[in-house]
Amino acid sequence: MFDLQINQMSVWGMKIGDQSNETSTGLNYGLACRDGLIIRPIVDLQKVLLPKHHPMATGYRLTASTGIHKGDREYQQDQIALLKHPRINGCILAIVADGMGGRSGGRKASDQVMMTSKQLFERYDPDTDDAAAVLAQVVQEAHVVIKLTAISSEEEPHSTLAAFLINEKGDCHWAHTGDSRIYHFQGSDFVKRTMDHSYVQALVNRGEITEEQASVHPQSNILMGCLGTENDPPVDFHFIPQLRAGDILMACSDGVWHYFNTGELGSVLSSLSAREATEFLIEKARSRGRGGGDNLSVVVVKLEPLTGPT
């Protein structure tokens, strides 16, 4: 059984002048295995025809990839998903959950995050529902279910959550709790990232240590809040009114981001395809971990400009 799984998907946006009635077409990337790595598609290639009033008038191509690896741990507690909306073309949800609480407790917690996210996203209607409210509901319901799991199983499952939702019109909402992160780049330029709900991030916020010192701090694994704790989890939200070609979003667990600065991430994400970047980041993080790395999970979504005749 392979440890590392890389999934990819592509969704095409068309230029405004294209009045084609083409329907969705499938792309079979096949199955490629190399050095314990398995690559497979999770959805077919699709064409999205944009109306004339669409804000992304120049057209775009949305490409995405997910990767997960147990790293140097004995078992996998991370979970990751990249979901295509069942009814709305061009609407996707990306989720990363880093479970904690022992061999089975952590996995149960991250599984609950995935299950709750999928159920609520399937019911989500972009025309009538508020995306931020849906993400808040994911956080709250997953939190409650994980707490109930702890009571019934006599374990202490907890989980982080980092999720971003992109609507078909190009607006993006994200939410996170814990120390799994979401990054936003425009090309190689860093735009914004989530701020960890962790002890060392609190020290950074107070100016007591630097970001560089935080990355090697002996208490960098202490969280100030997450899903499944006795108190309600801290949750931060962010809204991007309009994504555009060149934008890149990445969500990942601390097993990935711990080994990179924003400059390195921007360079990798902008110069490689979504699938190549996913594979590179996981393999480089494993190398830098030197046998002591955590579980690793990452999802990359790139908005690439369409090329060709106008």
Side-chain angles (χ1 to χ4, degrees):
M1 184 174 180
F2 298 103
D3 285 330
L4 173 61
Q5 294 185 344
I6 304 290
N7 298 323
Q8 69 177 16
M9 83 175 184
S10 300
V11 179
W12 288 81
M14 301 301 292
K15 295 182 179 178
I16 284 303
D18 193 333
Q19 298 299 320
S20 168
N21 291 320
E22 288 182 286
T23 57
S24 298
T25 59
L27 176 66
N28 181 10
Y29 288 97
L31 187 66
C33 300
R34 179 180 62 80
D35 297 332
L37 178 145
I38 183 169
I39 301 174
R40 62 186 181 187
I42 54 176
V43 299
D44 290 334
L45 180 75
Q46 299 192 1
K47 292 185 177 179
V48 180
L49 304 182
L50 305 181
K52 291 183 178 180
H53 64 274
H54 199 286
M56 302 185 95
T58 57
Y60 70 102
R61 182 177 71 164
L62 185 69
T63 63
S65 175
T66 69
I68 189 166
H69 196 290
K70 73 175 183 178
D72 299 299
R73 298 296 177 89
E74 294 182 4
Y75 39 86
Q76 178 64 266
Q77 298 186 100
D78 282 10
Q79 280 281 59
I80 192 166
L82 181 59
L83 308 176
K84 174 181 173 291
H85 197 278
R87 300 177 302 280
I88 308 299
N89 213 354
C91 179
I92 63 171
L93 174 66
I95 319 105
V96 170
D98 180 356
M100 296 159 278
R103 183 183 186 94
S104 60
R107 184 54 183 264
K108 287 179 181 177
S110 58
D111 283 345
Q112 291 295 344
V113 173
M114 294 298 117
M115 185 180 304
T116 301
S117 300
K118 291 174 183 178
Q119 290 173 346
L120 292 177
F121 188 56
E122 286 177 357
R123 300 202 299 264
Y124 170 63
D125 184 347
D127 293 329
T128 59
D129 297 335
D130 179 72
V134 171
L135 291 176
Q137 187 178 5
V138 169
V139 171
Q140 188 58 38
E141 290 194 11
H143 174 63
V144 171
V145 172
I146 292 171
K147 289 180 68 175
L148 292 175
T149 300
I151 295 173
S152 62
S153 62
E154 297 184 352
E155 295 174 321
E156 295 186 5
H158 306 296
S159 181
T160 68
L161 179 149
F164 61 84
L165 190 158
I166 300 176
N167 283 314
E168 61 173 340
K169 294 181 180 179
D171 56 303
C172 176
H173 303 254
W174 80 41
H176 94 287
T177 181
D179 65 352
S180 292
R181 290 183 180 179
I182 302 171
Y183 289 83
H184 177 199
F185 292 87
Q186 169 57 219
S188 62
D189 295 330
F190 171 70
V191 178
K192 187 179 179 65
R193 74 162 173 88
T194 53
M195 292 292 110
D196 307 331
H197 300 123
S198 66
Y199 174 68
V200 293
Q201 185 65 60
L203 295 179
V204 172
N205 294 344
R206 295 199 297 264
E208 297 182 20
I209 62 174
T210 66
E211 290 279 359
E212 291 72 21
Q213 291 171 328
S215 66
V216 295
H217 197 282
Q219 295 174 306
S220 61
N221 63 332
I222 298 178
L223 298 184
M224 305 299 287
C226 62
L227 301 178
T229 57
E230 182 177 349
N231 299 321
D232 287 341
V235 190
D236 293 333
F237 298 91
H238 180 60
F239 173 55
I240 305 172
Q242 184 61 65
L243 293 170
R244 56 195 176 97
D247 278 327
I248 305 170
L249 290 166
M250 181 184 77
C252 63
S253 63
D254 63 329
V256 175
W257 63 253
H258 181 80
Y259 298 102
F260 303 95
N261 59 45
T262 54
E264 291 175 318
L265 290 174
S267 177
V268 170
L269 294 170
S270 62
S271 62
L272 300 178
S273 69
R275 187 180 72 174
E276 291 168 341
T278 300
E279 180 180 350
F280 178 88
L281 290 173
I282 288 180
E283 291 185 346
K284 180 60 70 173
R286 290 210 67 212
S287 173
R288 291 180 174 180
R290 298 181 178 181
D294 199 354
N295 295 159
L296 309 99
S297 54
V298 59
V299 53
V300 174
V301 175
K302 302 184 69 172
L303 278 76
E304 301 175 342
L306 289 177
T307 57
T310 58

